[in-house]
Structures are given as C-alpha cells and as structure tokens.
Amino acid sequence: MYAQMIKSEATQDDPEKLAAFQARIDAGEKIEPKDWMPEGYRKTLIRQIGQHAHSEIVGQLPEGNWITRAPTLERKAILLAKVQDEAGHGLYLYCAAETLGVSRDEITEMLLDGRMKYSSIFNYPTLNWADIGAVGWLVDGAAIMNQVPLQRTSFGPYSRAMIRICKEESFHQRQGYDAIRQMAEGTPEQKKMAQDALNRLWYPSLMMFGPSDKDSVHSAQSMAWKIKMNTNDELRQKFVDQTVPQAEYLGLTIPDPDLKWNEERGHYDYTDPDWSEFFDVIKGNGPCNVDRLAARNKAWDDGQWVRDGLLAHARKKAAGKHAAE
Amino acid sequence: MTREEAFTQFLLRMGDNTLILGHRVSEWCGHAPVLEEDIALANTALDLIGQTQMWLGLAGEVQGEGKSADDLAFLRDAWDFRNVLLCEVPNGDFGRTLMRQFLFDAWHSIQLGRLMKSSDERVAAIAEKASKEVAYHLERSADTVVGLGDGTEESRRRMQEALDYLWPYVGEMFQSDDVDAEMVKAGIAPDPASLREEYDALISRILGDATLTIPESRFAHKGGRTGAMHTEHLGHLLTQMQWLQRAYPGAKW
C-alpha cells in the first residue's frame, strides 16, 4: 500500500446531489472526471493518488541504489526493467490525478516542499543485495494487497491505472521472491544477507498498511466512497498470512518471536510494529527522509535548464509551423 | 593473431561498449530532469545491458575458455576491457549524457546496419535485434540534442560545452587495427574507418539543426578499444560494478 493516513475531506455539498452520487457508487458505477463529484471526494483522491504516484517516484531511489552493483547482467536487466515500470506507474498515476484538476508540476512541487507525502517504506535504506529481493517480495507484496482491491475503486481513471499497475507488480513480486530465494539457498554469507534484509524490512513492511484500525480515523468516508476498499488491519493480516509460509519455505525467520498460528481465528497472531517509529518516519525522522527528499529536489533543480530548454524549443517549432501556414 | 582471437576481440569491443555505456546511463536512475527521461534512460540502459548479454555471450563462446557473459563482465580487470573511451567518461550533466549518447548512437546505428550483413550469422542476428532498439535510441538522443541545442541560451551553451568536451573521444570509434583487418578479411565486420563519412554526414545534419558548432580539431584520444590505456574513470566504475562478484567468489545470484 503506497497510501497511508489519507485524511478524508469533509464535504459540504447539496444533500440531494450527494445522495445521488453515493447511489451511483453503491450501484458499482464508475465516476468519470467530467461527472459531478463532491469536493471532498476530489480532494481526497488527489491526495491519495498523488501520494501513490510520489511513492513510485521516490521508490526508484532505494532500488536505483543497487542497479550499478547488481551481481549479474540478468539481475541488472531485471532491476532496470522494474525501476522503469515504477517510473511508468508514476506517470499513469500523475495522469489520473490530472483528470481531477491538478497538474503534475503542482503536485510534484508539493512533494518537493514536503506538503505531500510518499510511503514511509521508502525512508528505509537498502543495505545489501538481498534487500532488492526483499523489496520485491515484501514491499511489492504489501503494495499488491492494497492495489488488487483498488482495481474496483469508484474513480474510473484510478481504477484503470490500477489494473495496468497490478499486472506489472505481480511480476515484480515474483522476481523479488526469486532473487531472495536464490540467496536463501546460497552460501552462508548470502543466507545471512537474506536474513538481515528480512530482519530490517519486516516491520517497515507491516507499517505500509497504515496505523491500526482503532487509530485510523479517516477510513469510514473513504470506504463509503470506495476509494479505500479494506481496513488497514484486514490487509495487514492478509499480508502476514500470505508471507509467513513463504518465509518458512525459504528457511528464513520472521523477526517476531510471538508469531504463531491461531487455530481459532484461522490467522497468524503477530506483533504490531512500533507505531512510535512509524509516526517518527511520517514526521520526517526516518533513516532516509532527508536524503530522499534532497535527491528529488536536486534532480528537479538540476533539471530546470533541461525542461526550460525543451519547452523553448517546442515553442519555437510551434511558432515556425504557425508562420509557415 | 588467429581468426578466433581477432573475432573474440571484436566481440569484446561490441559488448564492452554496451556494458560500460549501459552502466553509465543506469547511474541516472531516479535523478533525471523529468519523469519521461527517467523512463527513457532506464529503457536505454536496459537495451544496452541486453545487447551486452548477447555480445559477451558470443565472445565467451568464440573464445572457447568456458567463460560466460557474466564472467567476462564481472571478472576482468580494466586492461582487458575493449570499450571506446567515449563510453566510460563520467555522465556530467544531463546535456553531456545525452550528447555522449547521441555521438555513440550515431556510430552504433551505422555499425549495426553493416553488421546485419556479416558473414557470421550469429553476429548478423544480434545486429538485427539490436539495430531496432538503437534506431529508437538515436531518434531520441538526436531529438533531445536538437531540442536542447536550439532551446534557451543556457541549454545551448551547455550542449556546446558537452560537444567540445566529448569531441576528442569521437575519433577512436573510427580507428582501424589488425583486429579490424582480420574481421574485414573474414567478412565479419566493416573497417571502422569506412563508417566515418556516413557518420559525419549524420551528425553534421543533427548538430546543425541543434545550432551547435562541431570543433575543427580531429585530435582523438585512443587506447580504449585496444585496451592500451583507459581513462582513470573505468577503474572506479568496475570497482562498483564488480564488487559483489569479487567479494563473494563463486556465489550464484
């Protein structure tokens, strides 16, 4: 899940229009950009889609950190393909946000000056090669948990973007699992890398689903609008249930001594992440927050002359064509 | 030098060019001026690494010492690399990266066009596949060079500086030696010098559209494609690229 703690906007619209809008959603209709929609729905979606898009963009950095050190040509090619897909996901999502009346430059600037967030997970470092496998296996795995139901979300452009994204994300998760499997079955040093990656990324992955339901105050309106399809705890449980047997198969130990199967519930019991750490990361105090934002700001600032140059050229060309007509 | 030795050298030259340039381009990941460029740079790097797998795979086969493409990429030292120096110079700003790409793509597209007629079917098949990708690389790098050259005053200045810096690395792509003579004799590859006329015509047209001035000097740094003398930059690149393979010998990844 790349959207965390999205605050639903209060809505002060004509009650009749609101009721008709809700009826369309309840009937499973898709809302399209030109349809009437409550201002709160529009604003909440901009924030949610924007946060998801920013996460795809910032997410290039921890993975890009290993492209130049990938251990084989094939792994390098796979990682390049994956990072390229992620930039592409960012592009679809920015386009979906644009249909709601906000330009890509506007929301990019909101990311760069800290008004908008990206997923907390990308504020953690990638320290050994197994982290690249673990990011695919755990981080993309967690993202898919949320994105699969969002294919049915009420807003048409968002739903269609999710359908495209989900196809690629399942490939990402498989390659991640394959990369970490190779290491878990490898030399003692490789196994150590795989376990180290799991130790560091397990709880941050659980945090991706957002705070516990009892502390999650924004869910009800978003769920009624079908822009949030499941609660945070439902998805987190589903993720734990799916991932534990995979870790067992790999011979890796999930860093939670209290993790055990609960026959009665039909689910694994697990330890919640340290929520104070989560809120620290959200506030900007994660291990990489400052570096990630600095990298994005530098890319944007250093690229200003390129964007200006290409725009100036496009204008000259358009003017030339105009003059020739 | 036997025919096999010359053929191996030729294949290493092709594969090392794409490997080293692909590595350089991949350094941009997440840092490009605009999202579309992040995508295009990653895509270019991906194509080049894919071509590396084919060229170095064939190099290992022809060499006959049981080496894989990965062995050749990750376990040779700098003096065994055969890429032209142009591919290993650091990225600099986005303008220099795209100018380097254009100067290489222009050569690469002409070279692959000739190699599609190679007497060796394996070479012809790789060239055929790669040429489709490289046609797109050239279209994109040429458009960007024109856009930035004929853009703002600042973008024009930066592109001219990039061209001035890179120009002395262009000539090496057209230098011929014994390896090339052997390849010409076998009908495997063209004489590099024979590509120059077509290359000059192509880049003159594009750089003219970009309102840039090609430096008059024909001076050319050399030593990359023979391995006699690389730049200081290559060693650092290899240190990073080869680290895992060197630190954990024999591990499978």
Side-chain angles (χ1 to χ4, degrees):
Chain A
M1 178 186 301
Y2 289 141
Q4 293 161 321
M5 303 187 67
I6 300 298
K7 184 169 178 286
S8 299
E9 289 281 339
T11 256
Q12 292 172 329
D13 292 288
D14 174 1
E16 254 178 61
K17 278 187 170 171
L18 272 179
F21 179 78
Q22 191 62 50
R24 288 190 64 196
I25 289 183
D26 294 343
E29 282 181 42
K30 291 279 179 256
I31 308 301
E32 294 300 333
K34 286 188 176 151
D35 297 349
W36 183 86
M37 64 185 78
E39 213 32 46
Y41 178 85
R42 180 190 304 276
K43 284 187 180 160
T44 308
L45 265 176
I46 288 175
R47 200 172 290 161
Q48 179 169 334
I49 297 173
Q51 193 182 105
H52 186 165
H54 298 330
S55 300
E56 300 280 1
I57 303 311
V58 178
Q60 293 180 92
L61 298 171
E63 297 194 294
N65 183 39
W66 279 92
I67 286 181
T68 54
R69 290 178 290 171
T72 68
L73 294 170
E74 193 185 355
R75 292 285 175 206
K76 196 190 285 279
I78 292 171
L79 188 54
L80 274 165
K82 177 174 192 281
V83 174
Q84 186 192 359
D85 284 350
E86 273 149 16
H89 297 171
L91 203 54
Y92 311 152
L93 288 161
Y94 284 128
C95 291
E98 280 183 323
T99 68
L100 292 160
V102 58
S103 77
R104 202 209 300 182
D105 283 1
E106 277 175 84
I107 55 175
T108 298
E109 275 160 23
M110 288 199 268
L111 165 71
L112 296 177
D113 66 19
R115 276 176 292 160
M116 281 181 91
K117 303 282 183 208
Y118 53 90
S119 177
S120 57
I121 189 72
F122 300 119
N123 289 313
Y124 288 86
T126 50
L127 299 180
N128 83 58
W129 171 251
D131 286 26
I132 295 307
V135 166
W137 174 37
L138 301 174
V139 175
D140 293 323
I144 291 169
M145 283 290 158
N146 185 51
Q147 289 169 5
V148 166
L150 275 178
Q151 295 178 99
R152 292 178 284 111
T153 187
S154 60
F155 187 55
Y158 192 25
S159 159
R160 290 188 286 274
M162 280 303 154
I163 291 168
R164 293 180 67 175
I165 288 172
C166 280
K167 281 186 196 149
E168 293 175 348
E169 288 292 354
S170 13
F171 153 72
H172 295 172
Q173 197 201 6
R174 276 199 303 276
Q175 69 76 33
Y177 188 73
D178 179 64
I180 204 162
R181 182 191 52 74
Q182 183 77 49
M183 298 185 69
E185 293 170 359
T187 66
E189 290 96 339
Q190 286 178 303
K191 212 171 281 180
K192 191 174 162 190
M193 291 178 208
Q195 184 63 51
D196 175 56
L198 178 58
N199 291 349
R200 281 181 288 103
L201 289 168
W202 173 251
Y203 286 108
S205 299
L206 295 188
M207 291 176 196
M208 288 176 69
F209 298 96
S212 174
D213 292 348
K214 59 182 190 299
D215 302 316
S216 182
V217 287
H218 311 304
S219 292
Q221 179 64 75
S222 287
M223 289 182 80
W225 278 335
K226 291 193 188 162
I227 55 184
K228 184 179 171 95
M229 312 298 282
N230 304 85
T231 73
N232 297 349
D233 285 336
E234 274 169 21
L235 290 170
R236 190 166 16 247
Q237 181 72 61
K238 205 172 162 198
F239 174 74
V240 171
D241 290 347
Q242 174 186 291
T243 308
V244 172
Q246 294 171 344
E248 280 169 1
Y249 178 81
L250 295 174
L252 299 177
T253 308
I254 288 180
D256 178 358
D258 296 326
L259 184 88
K260 61 174 184 301
W261 178 253
N262 182 326
E263 195 62 53
E264 205 174 306
R265 291 201 308 126
H267 293 291
Y268 284 93
D269 291 337
Y270 62 92
T271 306
D272 256 346
D274 174 358
W275 291 116
S276 66
E277 178 182 319
F278 172 74
F279 288 110
D280 272 341
V281 175
I282 293 282
K283 271 185 248 154
N285 294 320
C288 300
N289 295 57
V290 173
D291 290 345
R292 298 283 189 247
L293 261 191
R296 288 310 305 164
N297 271 289
K298 185 173 188 309
W300 187 250
D301 295 343
D302 288 354
Q304 186 68 48
W305 72 269
V306 176
R307 296 190 300 276
D308 290 347
L310 293 175
L311 189 65
H313 177 72
R315 284 190 179 137
K316 282 185 210 177
K317 246 172 96 174
K321 209 178 269 176
H322 193 69
E325 276 165 7
Chain B
M1 186 171 19
T2 65
R3 169 79 42 98
E4 275 66 36
E5 282 164 355
F7 194 13
T8 303
Q9 289 297 308
F10 165 76
L11 292 165
L12 290 175
R13 288 171 177 181
M14 293 303 294
D16 289 344
N17 279 342
T18 53
L19 173 61
I20 300 301
L21 186 60
H23 181 101
R24 280 287 184 230
V25 174
S26 79
E27 291 172 359
W28 272 96
C29 177
H31 305 282
V34 66
L35 191 47
E36 283 81 351
E37 292 302 332
D38 265 319
I39 296 173
L41 289 164
N43 187 51
T44 303
L46 177 57
D47 287 344
L48 292 172
I49 296 303
Q51 293 167 21
T52 304
Q53 288 176 292
M54 297 189 285
W55 289 124
L56 292 187
L58 183 54
E61 198 180 310
V62 172
Q63 188 184 38
E65 294 174 14
K67 288 194 176 129
S68 67
D70 281 341
D71 292 336
L72 291 170
F74 294 97
L75 299 175
R76 279 178 302 153
D77 204 342
W79 55 53
D80 287 327
F81 274 77
R82 295 291 179 266
N83 57 284
V84 290
L85 302 176
L86 179 69
C87 295
E88 70 194 47
V89 293
N91 287 335
D93 67 4
F94 183 79
R96 190 191 285 179
T97 295
L98 262 290
M99 181 61 78
R100 181 186 60 196
Q101 192 67 40
F102 168 66
L103 294 171
F104 180 78
D105 291 342
W107 170 82
H108 203 194
S109 69
I110 298 168
Q111 168 81 340
L112 291 171
R114 303 280 180 94
L115 292 180
M116 281 162 66
K117 294 175 225 131
S118 172
S119 63
D120 187 284
E121 281 174 17
R122 297 165 297 181
V123 170
I126 296 173
E128 167 108 33
K129 184 166 186 300
S131 70
K132 288 179 192 139
E133 296 167 346
V134 170
Y136 165 75
H137 298 175
L138 176 62
E139 188 185 325
R140 172 180 166 271
S141 62
D143 281 353
T144 313
V145 164
V146 170
L148 292 174
D150 183 32
T152 60
E153 210 172 296
E154 182 184 4
S155 70
R156 185 181 181 284
R157 174 181 60 77
R158 285 178 183 259
M159 295 313 281
Q160 186 64 54
E161 280 170 11
L163 179 58
D164 293 346
Y165 175 82
L166 293 167
W167 186 249
Y169 295 99
V170 165
E172 190 188 7
M173 294 187 284
F174 306 97
Q175 285 170 354
S176 307
D177 64 6
D178 295 352
V179 170
D180 300 301
E182 191 63 35
M183 289 301 94
V184 171
K185 211 162 35 167
I188 292 176
D191 177 1
S194 73
L195 273 49
R196 183 87 205 217
E197 201 178 327
E198 194 178 341
Y199 182 85
D200 283 341
L202 172 60
I203 65 162
S204 298
R205 182 167 57 79
I206 299 297
L207 294 173
D209 287 350
T211 72
L212 300 175
T213 310
I214 298 177
E216 276 176 22
S217 168
R218 278 258 168 167
F219 172 77
H221 291 296
K222 58 178 190 283
R225 71 195 299 275
T226 60
M229 194 166 76
H230 281 279
T231 66
E232 287 182 346
H233 308 295
L234 182 64
H236 292 278
L237 185 155
L238 296 181
T239 305
Q240 192 172 51
M241 185 175 86
Q242 298 182 335
W243 170 63
L244 275 174
Q245 288 271 359
R246 300 282 192 179
Y248 302 96
K252 283 201 173 64
W253 303 92

